[in-house]
């Protein structure tokens, strides 16, 4: 199975590092004197680099969107089903760029990086980040790669927020915006879930006020619990019922005591939490969920999304999923209605799917066909 995946993928990919020495003035008022971004590219640029596509990752994503890092790698990039030769984002047509956002924990400058002033990890002293900051750093990477205009900028969830920000911050540098399972701003319920996850991390004694790295410890329990909370909200009730039902992994309902009973869903969540706590940084998780909370596309446009989108010049594809209650179809419809009112070219597709918010990562046939058809219609000359 792994060999067949590799044969149909972009193959072995080596991440690259771009260092920027020009100061970056962040939305929070802090200035980073320099920073680094880790990124990967798939496919080749054409003569005038007009075939470039930017893929923006979601909350826990990173630069590794497609392919494998070595021959023994058993796990492909997080969107490998969609990026590659003959796939919806066809690397025989497009030059695809995927990066780890500033503040991340997979190589780009973030909380685990060394603070040049203290020569210790930034930790919880790393400055607050906004989606606009990510778009600015992505624009600088585009300059470095000599990309004047993206054929498309694509992203799901938090990635979709970056796509919309691109459309209004750099309207002449994006020709197509693909916004998947996203929103103009988070609902109060979404913000509440994010805060519960952050509190779970902060309540872990090993968090040490965010200074755990200097103490050579990791708040594994808190981070695992945060991931479990988030993961439940990314799935639909139907998806969980189909996948787990009320099946037991161990124990028996007939036992006198319940201590030995463990449902399959409990085991699954524990596995996901433990795995995530070994791969992600707690301060980065807090930073990125706060970026989600703070995003509000219309805030600087008199709280009017139509006014915000009025400067956009690109075409839009907006996609939602029927069972996604974290970023429900009604949130995508708000985006579409604002775009129509702003007289923009927009296509909308609501995909019937049982998988909840996680559907945007999966090769669901109708979704797969939608992305493929749209990307085939993009001109790269």
């Amino acid at each position: 199975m792994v060999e067949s995946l590799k044969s149909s993928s972009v193959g072995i990919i080596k991440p690259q590092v771009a260092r920027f020495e020009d100061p970056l003035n962040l939305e929070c008022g802090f200035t980073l004197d320099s920073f680094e971004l880790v990124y990967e590219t798939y496919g080749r640029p054409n003569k005038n680099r007009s075939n470039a596509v930017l893929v923006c990752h979601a909350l826990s994503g990173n630069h590794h969107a497609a392919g494998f890092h070595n021959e023994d790698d058993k796990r492909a990039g997080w969107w490998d089903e969609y990026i590659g030769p003959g796939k919806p984002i066809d690397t025989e047509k497009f030059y695809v760029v995927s990066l780890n956002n500033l503040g991340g924990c997979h190589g780009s400058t973030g909380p685990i990086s060394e603070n040049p002033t203290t020569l210790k990890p930034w930790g919880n002293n790393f400055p607050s980040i906004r989606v606009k900051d990510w778009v600015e750093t992505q624009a600088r990477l585009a300059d470095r790669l000599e990309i004047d205009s993206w054929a498309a900028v694509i992203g799901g969830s938090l990635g979709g927020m970056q796509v919309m920000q691109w459309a209004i911050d750099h309207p002449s540098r994006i020709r197509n915006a693909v916004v998947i399972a996203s929103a103009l701003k988070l609902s109060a319920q979404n913000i509440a879930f994010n805060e519960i996850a952050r509190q779970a991390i902060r309540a872990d004694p090993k968090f040490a006020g965010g200074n755990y790295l200097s103490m050579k410890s990791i708040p594994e329990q808190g981070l695992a619990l945060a991931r479990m909370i988030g993961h439940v909200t990314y799935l639909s009730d139907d998806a969980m019922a189909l996948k787990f039902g009320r099946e037991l992994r161990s124990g028996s309902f007939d036992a006198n005591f319940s201590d030995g009973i463990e449902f399959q869903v409990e085991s699954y969540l524990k596995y996901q939490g433990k795995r995530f706590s070994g791969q992600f940084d707690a301060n980065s998780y807090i930073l990125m969920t706060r970026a989600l909370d703070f995003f509000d596309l219309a805030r600087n446009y008199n709280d009017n999304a139509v006014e915000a989108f009025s400067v956009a010049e690109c075409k839009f594809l907006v996609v939602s999923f029927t069972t996604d209650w974290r970023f429900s179809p009604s949130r995508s419809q708000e985006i579409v209605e604002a775009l129509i009112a702003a007289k923009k070219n927009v296509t909308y597709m609501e995909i019937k799917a049982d998988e909840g918010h996680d559907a945007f990562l999966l090769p669901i046939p109708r979704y797969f066909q939608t992305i493929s058809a749209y990307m085939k219609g993009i001109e790269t000359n």
Side-chain angles (χ1 to χ4, degrees), residues 258-275:
S258 62
D259 292 352
I261 296 178
E262 182 175 56
F263 289 94
Q264 289 283 6
V265 67
E266 293 175 312
S267 174
Y268 172 77
L269 287 174
K270 288 176 183 177
Y271 167 77
Q272 290 292 335
K274 183 176 181 180
R275 179 170 167 266

Side-chain angles (χ1 to χ4, degrees), residues 92-110:
E92 294 178 342
K93 175 181 179 179
F94 296 110
Y95 174 58
V96 184
V97 179
S98 177
L99 76 158
N100 181 216
N101 278 335
L102 184 73
C105 53
H106 293 95
S108 293
T109 299

Side-chain angles (χ1 to χ4, degrees), residues 74-89:
K74 293 182 172 59
R75 183 178 293 275
W78 57 268
W79 224 23
D80 191 73
E81 296 277 5
Y82 284 83
I83 302 171
K87 296 179 181 180
I89 306 172

Side-chain angles (χ1 to χ4, degrees), residues 59 103 123 176 220 278 340 363:
L59 174 62
N176 289 272
E220 294 176 341
I340 291 173

Side-chain angles (χ1 to χ4, degrees), residues 71-307:
E71 291 291 346
D72 298 323
D73 196 353
K74 293 182 172 59
R75 183 178 293 275
W78 57 268
W79 224 23
D80 191 73
E81 296 277 5
Y82 284 83
I83 302 171
K87 296 179 181 180
I89 306 172
D90 190 349
T91 50
E92 294 178 342
K93 175 181 179 179
F94 296 110
Y95 174 58
V96 184
V97 179
S98 177
L99 76 158
N100 181 216
N101 278 335
L102 184 73
C105 53
H106 293 95
S108 293
T109 299
I112 66 173
S113 304
E114 182 182 274
N115 181 336
T117 301
T118 65
L119 302 182
K120 295 179 180 180
W122 279 95
N124 69 337
N125 291 317
F126 194 80
S128 180
I129 300 294
R130 305 288 188 270
V131 169
K132 284 178 69 69
D133 298 322
W134 285 334
V135 170
E136 175 58 28
T137 61
Q138 291 162 5
R140 293 194 187 188
L141 179 61
D143 293 340
R144 181 71 57 85
L145 297 175
E146 299 181 322
I147 297 168
D148 294 328
S149 173
W150 298 103
V153 180
I154 306 173
S157 192
L158 179 56
M161 294 175 174
Q162 295 165 59
V163 175
M164 291 185 283
Q165 197 72 57
W166 258 101
I168 65 174
D169 283 0
H170 301 281
S172 66
R173 301 193 67 176
I174 170 176
R175 306 198 301 279
N176 289 272
V178 181
V179 182
I180 307 166
S182 196
L184 293 168
K185 59 184 176 182
L186 283 196
S187 66
Q189 184 186 53
N190 264 311
I191 294 172
F193 277 120
N194 287 343
E195 178 58 15
I196 293 169
R198 289 190 293 265
Q199 287 297 331
I201 293 171
R202 291 174 176 137
D204 189 322
K206 291 185 178 180
F207 183 63
N211 297 312
Y212 49 87
L213 291 178
S214 62
M215 300 179 68
K216 302 188 185 312
S217 66
I218 299 174
E220 294 176 341
Q221 288 187 326
L223 192 54
L225 182 55
R227 179 58 172 175
M228 289 166 69
I229 293 166
H231 203 69
V232 168
T233 70
Y234 302 149
L235 300 173
S236 69
D237 185 36
D238 288 343
M240 295 185 77
L242 287 171
K243 192 168 186 176
F244 307 109
R246 289 177 53 83
E247 294 299 315
L248 294 179
R249 181 177 181 273
S250 61
S252 169
F253 286 123
D254 297 326
N256 292 326
F257 301 98
S258 62
D259 292 352
I261 296 178
E262 182 175 56
F263 289 94
Q264 289 283 6
V265 67
E266 293 175 312
S267 174
Y268 172 77
L269 287 174
K270 288 176 183 177
Y271 167 77
Q272 290 292 335
K274 183 176 181 180
R275 179 170 167 266
F276 186 73
S277 66
Q279 297 177 337
F280 214 84
D281 175 66
N283 281 319
S284 282
Y285 191 87
I286 291 172
L287 177 149
M288 290 196 171
T289 56
R290 292 301 282 171
L292 260 171
D293 292 353
F294 287 131
F295 179 77
D296 183 349
L297 192 77
R299 178 181 291 128
N300 296 324
Y301 295 85
N302 300 310
D303 292 322
N304 187 327
V306 178
E307 183 179 335

